[in-house]
Amino acid sequence: MLAARLTESGKYRVALLEAGGEDDNFWIHAPLGYGKLYDNPKYNWLYNGESEPQLTSHKSYQPRGKVLGGTGSINGMIYMRGAPEDFDHWRQLGNTGWSYDDVLPYFRKGEDNERGANEYHGAGGPLRVSNTPKHPLSDAFIKAGVEAGYPASDDFNGPTLDGFTYNQVNIRNGRRASTAVEYLRPRANARIWR
Ligand SMILES: Cc1cc2nc3c(=O)[nH]c(=O)nc-3n(C[C@H](O)[C@H](O)[C@H](O)COP(=O)(O)OP(=O)(O)OC[C@H]3O[C@@H](n4cnc5c(N)ncnc54)[C@H](O)[C@@H]3O)c2cc1C
């Protein structure tokens, strides 16, 4: 994303160094294919955490993308921003420019949201954000959450993360909308070294 933004003026040529290879595997682009990449050393660093004494010394598996687009080429595609109060906390700690109000314009600028633009979302940007299909079981799960006393929501990326609703995803026309596909591919002056 940063490499693509740096090339936007057309004045600069940007070299992007990527340790992995091309995002040319069919399962990267088929949304439910990420299960097929979960243990594939060609596209995944296959990290493990340190042994955890509280977990009977178990080491937890930490997959990370080793491919153009990084972990965004093998992840679950859920479009989920950080919590507004976390950004505001960073600002309160002295990080000028990192309050939620400061970063929100950039979230909106990046977005091509199926629901269109509003105070929290953008349309016409590079990164597709689309609705997930409804399903009776998901409807029942959301209803159960609300019946149990949790708030209903219509947007996890609105004023608060809390609540029960459907998430949105980075999928365009049935294919994974990774940063490599959405930001990098359209840039002629970004050269990629692998
Ligand atoms: C299984 C899984 C599911 C996830 N699901 C979601 C989700 O649904 N929604 C969500 O928002 N987040 C999800 N995440 C988290 C999200 O994908 C990551 O937080 C995000 O991709 C991290 O971005 P990054 O740019 O920091 O690093 P990465 O995307 O990991 O990119 C790092 C890149 O640097 C490359 N690299 C590493 N070392 C070198 C080197 N020495 N030289 C050159 N290149 C190098 C790597 O190969 C990689 O391409 C998920 C993560 C995992 C593992």
Side-chain angles (χ1 to χ4, degrees), residues 17-20 34 38 45 47 62-81 170:
L17 302 179
E18 169 51 55
Y34 65 91
Y38 204 64
W45 290 96
Y47 292 132
Q62 300 289 333
R64 289 293 181 275
K66 186 171 75 174
V67 58
L68 204 60
T71 310
S73 288
I74 64 160
N75 74 6
M77 295 156 291
I78 295 172
Y79 181 66
M80 193 83 202
R81 300 173 186 164
N170 295 123

Side-chain angles (χ1 to χ4, degrees), residues 3 17 22 24-25 41 64 95 109 117 119 135-136 146 153 165 188 194:
L17 302 179
E22 283 283 356
D24 54 2
N25 187 302
R64 289 293 181 275
N95 299 297
K109 182 175 177 173
E119 189 186 346
H135 188 279
V146 174
S153 167
T165 188
R194 297 174 199 94

Side-chain angles (χ1 to χ4, degrees), residues 6-80:
L6 288 170
T7 63
E8 248 170 36
S9 69
K11 270 169 41 189
Y12 310 107
R13 291 168 64 221
V14 175
L16 172 68
L17 302 179
E18 169 51 55
E22 283 283 356
D23 57 340
D24 54 2
N25 187 302
F26 169 83
W27 295 115
I28 289 176
H29 303 285
L32 261 182
Y34 65 91
K36 301 265 187 192
L37 307 162
Y38 204 64
D39 55 1
N40 184 331
K42 188 171 173 200
Y43 301 102
N44 197 319
W45 290 96
L46 310 178
Y47 292 132
N48 277 294
E50 294 298 321
S51 116
E52 302 281 351
Q54 296 86 347
L55 297 173
T56 58
S57 300
H58 182 75
K59 290 186 176 182
S60 64
Y61 177 45
Q62 300 289 333
R64 289 293 181 275
K66 186 171 75 174
V67 58
L68 204 60
T71 310
S73 288
I74 64 160
N75 74 6
M77 295 156 291
I78 295 172
Y79 181 66
M80 193 83 202

